[in-house]
Amino acid sequence: MNHSFILKAEWDGGRNSEGRIEAGQLKTAISIPKEMGGPGIGTNPDEMLLGAAATCYLITLAAMMERGGLPVEKLSLESEGIVDVTNNIFTYVSITHKPHIILKPDASEQDINHARRLAEKAEGSCMISRAIAGNVSLSTQPIIEKSLA
């Protein structure tokens, strides 16, 4: 079974103009980021690729931990995307996911090790990660701890 996703876009001029995109629940202004010499209005392709990779990873990890029966108290994520600009050529180099997994106080050492394995495995299980693999370096740096409460 295939799923179709449609994005509609409008653009108001040349390189340093702005536009709008709409895809399902996503509706936002777009432009080139200020860091790359653009107007910095709304979001941009670099943030959107990072957002797609991060949300896919986070949802995949949450589902895997739920199926694994892990006693998760809180799950958060910080992801970093690196773009190289050499000779005015922009290349998305890497994405690093840094999940912070807090397990409930009664979590065992086995639960902590299981959470670490799943944090690593989720990267390869995520649809977006698989789509960009080989073009963008992907890595995971999990922090796993037990709640003190």
Side-chain angles (χ1 to χ4, degrees):
M1 173 190 282
N2 291 330
H3 298 277
S4 176
F5 298 92
I6 306 294
L7 182 138
K8 295 183 181 182
E10 295 179 7
W11 191 254
D12 295 334
R15 179 191 187 279
N16 286 328
S17 296
E18 63 182 272
R20 288 151 304 288
I21 60 169
E22 185 174 321
Q25 298 299 309
L26 175 64
K27 297 177 184 179
T28 188
I30 57 170
S31 73
I32 295 173
K34 282 188 179 186
E35 300 84 359
M36 295 180 175
I41 297 168
T43 191
N44 58 69
D46 311 286
E47 291 172 344
M48 290 179 59
L49 180 61
L50 180 60
T55 55
C56 184
Y57 173 82
L58 185 62
I59 292 167
T60 301
L61 177 57
M64 292 172 81
M65 290 192 306
E66 179 181 54
R67 281 192 306 269
L70 285 173
V72 177
E73 185 169 293
K74 184 176 180 185
L75 172 60
S76 60
L77 177 67
E78 178 180 304
S79 294
E80 179 182 20
I82 303 293
V83 175
D84 175 65
V85 182
T86 302
N87 296 326
N88 215 24
I89 297 172
F90 295 75
T91 304
Y92 220 111
V93 177
S94 67
I95 293 176
T96 302
H97 298 302
K98 301 172 187 176
H100 188 187
I101 303 165
I102 301 176
L103 300 176
K104 293 180 180 174
D106 61 343
S108 67
E109 193 63 33
Q110 184 178 3
D111 290 332
I112 292 170
N113 291 333
H114 190 199
R116 186 171 315 285
R117 284 192 309 274
L118 291 179
E120 296 294 336
K121 186 177 181 182
E123 184 69 69
S125 299
C126 165
M127 172 181 68
I128 302 299
S129 297
R130 289 192 320 265
I132 62 176
N135 294 307
V136 177
S137 173
L138 301 168
S139 63
T140 306
Q141 299 173 357
I143 298 171
I144 302 164
E145 55 191 3
K146 286 181 7 178
S147 172
L148 301 175

